[in-house]
Amino acid sequence: MRFATYGRKSVYSDRSDSISNQFRMCREWVDFRYKNQVDAFTEYSDEAFTGANTDRPGLQRLMEDIQAGLYDALVVYQLDRLSRDVRDFANIYAMLEDCGVMFASIKENIDTATPIGKAMMYVTVVFAQMERETIAVRVTDNLEGLARRGFWTGGKPPQGYALERVEANGKKHAALVLNPEEADRCVWLFDTFLESGHTIGKLQTEFRNQGIRTVNGAFFAASRIHKILTSPYGVEATPEVYDYFSQKGCRMDPGSPREAWDGAHGVMVYGRSTERGSDKKHALQPPDKWIVCVGRHKPFISADKWLAAQARFKGNCFDKTMKYDVPLLKGAVRCKCGCLMEVARKKLKTRVLSHYRCRKRNQQGADVCDMRYVRCDVLDEKVLGIFREIESDPSQIMAYTAKEQPHSVVKNPKTLEANTARIQAKIDRLAESLADADGSTAAKYIIAQIEKEDLNLAAVRRELELSRAEARKSQRAEKSAQERAAEIARLVRGLDGFTDVERNGIVREIVQECRWDGTELFLRL
């Protein structure tokens, strides 16, 4: 039998239920239950991933390989290692049943061969989900309570501050303390922004031209400048700042009434951002999710100065209605340096020219990336030319589809089938010879030869199963490519019937990778 095992931990640790120990216990269980029946034992893992969803690279690879027919059984140490969500687990288990793959969880000792075993499995997952949700609520309540008391609740401190461990009620918590060098630099940035009247983009260019860098030696990026100027933690907690957050729609902490905002301390905001996606990047939440109160830390920006900067941002809002047509590859084509290329316009007397340009070069200069402008219509026509080829001959799409590498060198299934038949025929002949040689000295040699050929037959059959599994994966990839080819044909045939925005949306769905190196266009569909 071919076994797969999966291990997961939410955070890195070397405790007894670490991934390596999960694998060890699964291997011991398999060796004990299926002694001399283990043809393969493959490990899949995800470190520092939650069980609340299936957005985990190791799990995704495992499910793809199971659907390809590579395994007969899946073994996990504990059900919640696979999933802590009832719906996700039900989908995974349904897929296992469809593929005829046995499932076992060691800790719960669940036998899914019986109805009561299946029922107990789902009950266990329900309790795992409830535990996850209960822990999440408890952690959120605890962090919210710490924030209301003015403590820092985790992550890197904001610009202008460092972290200090302080004791309160017998427990140590993180508190913000001023970092004088960073704080002075933030104040300088506020002054420069307000006095110059520049936009953030213009400020970034000016800083680069003047050689002004961050304390870490890097050039200021527009996103970094914006983050510092909009950070609420360093401003004086005054009644005017209270009114600003209140009018913004934030949840004002009852424990910090307006009269308590006397300017002696900074502002503390909880829930301003949250992690999103597997890359764990932070995204800003709507103001009604923020909890705002008076912090314990000292401020370094006057309320008037901070409010003036926020007013500038509010006044810089612009109408995002498209003035010009959207190019076909907008948001899809990348520079050779990996940066997404943006659209630049140049007004002439009788027309407007649109170009794709590297955003990194535009912001940081030619010494970072030497990619030149390229006209939008030139690149768009290259892609349309490829699409027209695929529309006339759908098999052409395979030239632009990534070839998935097999797990190992796979032989031709027909060759393996022939080898299987040949070895089986040899075993049958040896069996006939054994019947004739019953009781003779030659019998033991014939039996040894049969056992040897039987091992060869098992090995060839495993190769045949792997070859068929890879063939199924290839067929699925080809079917997916054919579906994309049909979508491309729909785009080409109805090109004039779509708006420029619709055409761009279709292309961004079809194109998985598009890269321009200055000479050649690389496309993966």
Side-chain angles (χ1 to χ4, degrees), residues 112-128:
T112 58
T114 63
I116 189 65
K118 287 185 181 180
M120 288 304 299
M121 176 180 65
Y122 282 110
V123 168
T124 303
V125 177
V126 168
F127 278 105

Side-chain angles (χ1 to χ4, degrees), residues 399-464:
Y400 302 95
T401 302
K403 304 295 189 299
E404 187 173 348
Q405 295 298 319
H407 289 72
S408 58
V409 178
V410 180
K411 295 181 180 178
N412 189 307
K414 291 184 178 180
T415 303
L416 294 171
E417 287 171 358
N419 288 344
T420 300
R422 179 181 55 78
I423 296 171
Q424 184 63 59
K426 188 174 183 180
I427 291 173
D428 293 340
R429 289 194 299 272
L430 287 169
E432 292 175 2
S433 301
L434 181 62
D436 296 336
D438 186 27
S440 68
T441 307
K444 64 178 181 179
Y445 296 106
I446 296 173
I447 291 172
Q449 186 65 25
I450 289 175
E451 290 175 348
K452 179 181 176 181
E453 294 300 332
D454 191 55
L455 290 174
N456 289 339
L457 181 61
V460 173
R461 281 176 173 168
R462 283 197 298 272
E463 281 190 277
L464 179 59

Side-chain angles (χ1 to χ4, degrees), residues 169-225:
N169 299 326
K171 294 183 179 180
K172 287 190 174 182
H173 304 295
L176 297 178
V177 291
L178 278 175
N179 179 329
E181 183 182 357
E182 281 192 5
D184 289 345
R185 200 158 181 84
C186 290
V187 172
W188 169 83
L189 186 60
F190 270 90
D191 290 338
T192 304
F193 176 66
L194 293 172
E195 292 171 5
S196 67
H198 291 329
T199 62
I200 288 182
K202 178 67 174 175
L203 211 58
Q204 174 189 245
T205 303
E206 288 291 320
F207 287 168
R208 183 173 187 83
N209 292 339
Q210 297 174 26
I212 298 173
R213 300 173 181 262
T214 66
V215 291
N216 296 325
F219 283 112
F220 276 97
S223 58
R224 186 179 184 87
I225 296 172

Side-chain angles (χ1 to χ4, degrees), residues 11-80:
V11 293
Y12 176 78
S13 116
D14 291 324
R15 290 165 46 193
S16 61
D17 57 348
S18 65
I19 288 178
S20 59
N21 279 309
Q22 292 176 43
F23 288 159
R24 177 182 56 79
M25 288 182 281
C26 288
R27 181 75 210 213
E28 290 174 355
W29 184 87
V30 168
D31 288 341
F32 177 75
R33 291 290 187 93
Y34 298 91
K35 190 175 182 181
N36 299 326
Q37 299 180 48
V38 182
D39 297 321
F41 186 86
T42 309
E43 300 170 348
Y44 296 80
S45 65
D46 287 304
E47 186 83 57
F49 280 87
T50 177
N53 56 60
T54 59
D55 189 15
R56 293 170 260 158
L59 179 61
Q60 293 299 325
R61 288 196 304 272
L62 169 63
M63 292 193 292
E64 287 175 4
D65 290 346
I66 287 175
Q67 288 174 320
L70 298 184
Y71 302 110
D72 303 307
L74 171 61
V75 181
V76 296
Y77 166 67
Q78 191 172 340
L79 280 173
D80 63 5

Side-chain angles (χ1 to χ4, degrees), residues 180-281:
E181 183 182 357
E182 281 192 5
D184 289 345
R185 200 158 181 84
C186 290
V187 172
W188 169 83
L189 186 60
F190 270 90
D191 290 338
T192 304
F193 176 66
L194 293 172
E195 292 171 5
S196 67
H198 291 329
T199 62
I200 288 182
K202 178 67 174 175
L203 211 58
Q204 174 189 245
T205 303
E206 288 291 320
F207 287 168
R208 183 173 187 83
N209 292 339
Q210 297 174 26
I212 298 173
R213 300 173 181 262
T214 66
V215 291
N216 296 325
F219 283 112
F220 276 97
S223 58
R224 186 179 184 87
I225 296 172
H226 183 269
K227 185 176 181 179
I228 293 173
L229 295 177
T230 56
S231 174
Y233 305 101
V235 64
E236 297 171 336
T238 66
E240 292 76 19
V241 175
Y242 178 98
D243 293 340
Y244 169 83
F245 285 110
S246 179
Q247 292 167 11
K248 195 177 181 71
C250 302
R251 296 158 58 193
M252 309 306 292
D253 179 28
S256 299
R258 189 176 187 274
E259 54 269 22
W261 290 55
D262 57 6
H265 297 88
V267 174
M268 181 60 68
V269 181
Y270 177 76
R272 185 168 175 261
S273 64
T274 185
E275 285 185 359
R276 288 185 182 172
S278 58
D279 56 4
K280 299 187 178 181
K281 288 186 178 180

